[in-house]
Every structure is written in structure tokens, then in C-alpha cells.
Amino acid sequence: MPKTDSTNLLQFIDVLLKHGNFTRAAKDLYISQPYLTQTIKSVEAELGVPIIDREAAPLKLTPAGRLYYQYLTTLENQKDQFRQQLHQFTAPAHQTIRIGILSSLGYYLLPLFIPAYAQVHPEVKLNLTEDIAERNEQRLLHGELDFLIGQNPETVAPGLTVHERGKDGYYAVIPRTSKFYQPQQAFINPGTLDIEALLHEKLVLSPRGSSIRRQVDYLLQKYHITPEIVVESTNTFTIAKLAEKGLGITFLPDSVYVQPDGDAYNLYPLPASLLSLNYFIAFANTHQLSQNEQDLITIFLTNLEASLAEIASLSPE
């Protein structure tokens, strides 16, 4: 591969594609046009193929150029990961903690404890990897992450130490378009509705494979119901808003706060025996925790407990 610095090359190509010609690109980069031209030619000479289609107006990458661009991008990402990993050894006072979490879970869970942790440890950088639980779990086992945050720890792989927050319940959002809607009621008293009948209504759900959907699918299978799902979304916020606007009933964990509004929808707490989840934070058994990391676990557990207790206090007994 060419020996030219990959960071500069990536920048040169980005600006060249942005402007579509060498003259404007060189001006934007504060270098001479001959220098930019010669740099690209040197790369092409080392690769043995052109990477810029000079017949196109504006200029664009050749197929080989697109492949080379992907190579440079991958190389830069690997450099960034290496620097982040090395940083804990070169500057231990500025530790980086790498956390894996499902994006739909992080949306409402991270704000409950990350700001508090940042206040206690402003010197610690938090690096988030938002991906499906299975891939983040493998990253944790291979040392690419320090912590995994998830729900339902009974499915966690061996080799991980798990700290559980405790079980949380679910509630249904019942819009005014549903026959079960009760006018002017922010909350419907627990135990007064038939859950099987609710599941026969139009539903707004997360897609199969998500933690919340697995919980709901358990009920659908229990009652042998083929659901009428109006729409699916990986974004919990979207699901809640669509239900509030009358598209269908949805089921959300207590940690996902929905502002009560009896004019538009009811909130109906479900029995924990039907639906519940358990948030957890996990790390590899072989990982020796620093004090900063121990504090992260403590703040995760205590702040989440306090936040969810506050949400629960808004619901009727």
C-alpha cells in the first residue's frame, strides 16, 4: 500500500470530491494545485491503477478509488481505536471507559446515570458502542469493551460478572382510538382490564429480536394471539409517540417515561407477573476494576433505582 500519510490522503480525497476539481480543492486545503495533483498521481503510481476519474465532471472516484477510499477509512478507524486503547496507558489520569449498549435502550437509560457520573469523574472519557446485545457481548468477552449494559441478565453468556438493578414492570399506552380508552383518565387502575383483550387491539411495537418485543411476544404466544401490528420501530421514542397519537396500543417498561395526558391516552400499569425486565451492568470476570469503574457501577445502580422509583411514584397504587 502507498506510504503517504493516510490521514492527509483521506482529507485530500474528501475535499477533492467536495469541489470536483483540483484547483478549488487545493485552495480549500491551503496547498498548491501542483502538489495536490502530484500527491494523487503518486498514490495511483504506487497502486498501479487510477483512483480519480478525470473524465467525469465533477471529478469522482473510480471503482478502484472507492475501494481505496474504504481502505483509508478503515485504517483511520483502526488508528482511532488503537489510540483510545493506548490512552489508558499513556494518560492513566484520563481513563477511557468503553460501554456497549443497545441503541434503543441507551436512548432512555443512559441519561438516567451518565450525567451524574460525569459530574463525579469529569476526567473520565466515556466511549459508547451502540449495537445489538449479542455483538456487544462478544466485544466485552474479547476485551474491546469494558462494560455491557442490558436487560434480562439471565441470557448473559458465562464469563461475565453481572450487577442487577432489580425487576421493573411495564405499562400499556392506550390511545383514545381504542375501545378500552377511558376519557379524562391519566391512569387506569391496575387489574381492571383484560390483557388478552388488549393484545387483540391494533399494536405499535418494536421489531422481533428486541428485548421489549421478546417480552410482548411471550404474552402473544401465551394467549395464542396473532397480533395486528400497525407499525414497528426500533426507536422507543417513536413507538411511544405513535401510540400517543392514536395509531395503536403499545407496551413500555416503567423506565420509559410518558407524560400522562388523560385527554389523549391512558397509562395502564401491568402486573409484574405478566411482564417485567431487569436492567444490568456486566464486565468480564478477568477484568480488574479501577476505582473509576467501580464508581460507574455504583452510580448506575443507585441513580437508576432513584430515577425509576420517581417514575413509579407518578403512577397510581
Side-chain angles (χ1 to χ4, degrees), residues 120-139:
V120 176
H121 287 291
E123 78 284 1
V124 177
K125 178 182 178 182
L126 299 178
N127 190 329
L128 302 177
T129 299
E130 296 181 293
D131 201 349
I132 62 173
E134 290 79 4
R135 285 201 286 263
N136 273 337
E137 191 174 274
Q138 289 303 308
R139 291 187 180 102

Side-chain angles (χ1 to χ4, degrees), residues 96-99 140 143-148 282-284 287 293:
T96 296
I97 296 179
R98 303 162 300 171
I99 302 172
L140 184 61
E144 298 171 15
L145 291 175
D146 301 306
F147 292 99
L148 172 67
F283 58 92
H287 183 63
E293 291 172 329

Side-chain angles (χ1 to χ4, degrees), residues 173-218:
V173 180
I174 303 175
R176 61 186 306 154
T177 53
S178 169
K179 64 183 180 182
F180 294 100
Y181 170 75
Q182 298 181 11
Q184 309 301 318
Q185 297 294 319
F187 296 92
I188 297 178
N189 289 332
T192 58
L193 296 181
D194 181 3
I195 184 65
E196 184 175 357
L198 285 179
L199 291 169
H200 279 290
E201 291 281 279
K202 293 180 179 180
L203 302 178
V204 180
L205 300 176
S206 57
R208 288 187 179 276
S210 70
S211 297
I212 295 177
R213 177 62 180 273
R214 283 199 296 268
Q215 299 278 311
V216 177
D217 281 346
Y218 161 75

Side-chain angles (χ1 to χ4, degrees), residues 85-121:
Q85 293 170 353
L86 189 64
H87 185 71
Q88 61 182 312
F89 302 106
T90 59
H94 295 80
Q95 182 183 6
T96 296
I97 296 179
R98 303 162 300 171
I99 302 172
I101 191 168
L102 188 69
S103 58
S104 60
L105 187 63
Y107 164 77
Y108 57 87
L109 205 57
L110 292 175
L112 299 182
F113 72 96
I114 289 293
Y117 181 79
Q119 286 186 342
V120 176
H121 287 291

Side-chain angles (χ1 to χ4, degrees), residues 49-314:
V49 291
I51 63 171
I52 300 296
D53 182 358
R54 292 168 175 78
E55 300 298 321
L59 298 175
K60 65 180 182 180
L61 293 173
T62 64
R66 290 195 293 272
L67 182 63
Y68 181 60
Y69 186 88
Q70 292 172 359
Y71 161 76
L72 290 177
T73 302
T74 301
L75 192 60
E76 287 304 297
N77 289 337
Q78 291 174 343
K79 284 182 180 179
D80 287 341
Q81 292 176 6
F82 173 71
R83 293 189 192 102
Q84 292 169 5
Q85 293 170 353
L86 189 64
H87 185 71
Q88 61 182 312
F89 302 106
T90 59
H94 295 80
Q95 182 183 6
T96 296
I97 296 179
R98 303 162 300 171
I99 302 172
I101 191 168
L102 188 69
S103 58
S104 60
L105 187 63
Y107 164 77
Y108 57 87
L109 205 57
L110 292 175
L112 299 182
F113 72 96
I114 289 293
Y117 181 79
Q119 286 186 342
V120 176
H121 287 291
E123 78 284 1
V124 177
K125 178 182 178 182
L126 299 178
N127 190 329
L128 302 177
T129 299
E130 296 181 293
D131 201 349
I132 62 173
E134 290 79 4
R135 285 201 286 263
N136 273 337
E137 191 174 274
Q138 289 303 308
R139 291 187 180 102
L140 184 61
L141 290 169
H142 288 90
E144 298 171 15
L145 291 175
D146 301 306
F147 292 99
L148 172 67
I149 292 175
Q151 53 193 22
N152 303 323
E154 61 273 8
T155 63
V156 170
L160 300 180
T161 298
V162 176
H163 291 276
E164 304 176 18
R165 193 217 69 86
K167 289 189 178 297
D168 293 298
Y170 274 76
Y171 64 94
V173 180
I174 303 175
R176 61 186 306 154
T177 53
S178 169
K179 64 183 180 182
F180 294 100
Y181 170 75
Q182 298 181 11
Q184 309 301 318
Q185 297 294 319
F187 296 92
I188 297 178
N189 289 332
T192 58
L193 296 181
D194 181 3
I195 184 65
E196 184 175 357
L198 285 179
L199 291 169
H200 279 290
E201 291 281 279
K202 293 180 179 180
L203 302 178
V204 180
L205 300 176
S206 57
R208 288 187 179 276
S210 70
S211 297
I212 295 177
R213 177 62 180 273
R214 283 199 296 268
Q215 299 278 311
V216 177
D217 281 346
Y218 161 75
L219 286 182
L220 293 170
Q221 293 168 8
K222 177 180 178 179
Y223 294 109
H224 307 289
I225 295 173
T226 300
E228 183 181 357
I229 301 174
V230 181
V231 69
E232 295 179 342
S233 173
T234 57
N235 189 311
T236 308
F237 177 78
T238 300
I239 291 172
K241 287 301 179 183
L242 290 176
E244 291 173 15
K245 295 299 182 181
L247 202 60
I249 291 175
T250 195
F251 303 91
L252 298 172
D254 290 341
S255 50
V256 181
Y257 178 69
V258 171
Q259 178 68 40
D261 184 357
D263 292 331
Y265 50 85
N266 308 133
L267 302 180
Y268 177 61
L270 300 173
S273 58
L274 285 178
L275 288 180
S276 66
L277 55 80
N278 188 354
Y279 295 115
F280 69 87
I281 185 168
F283 58 92
N285 293 344
T286 55
H287 183 63
Q288 296 295 318
L289 294 177
S290 67
Q291 185 59 55
N292 292 344
E293 291 172 329
Q294 291 175 350
D295 290 345
L296 178 69
I297 294 174
T298 300
I299 292 175
F300 170 82
L301 296 173
T302 56
N303 276 51
L304 201 59
E305 179 74 30
S307 298
L308 296 179
E310 181 181 355
I311 292 172
S313 69
L314 299 175

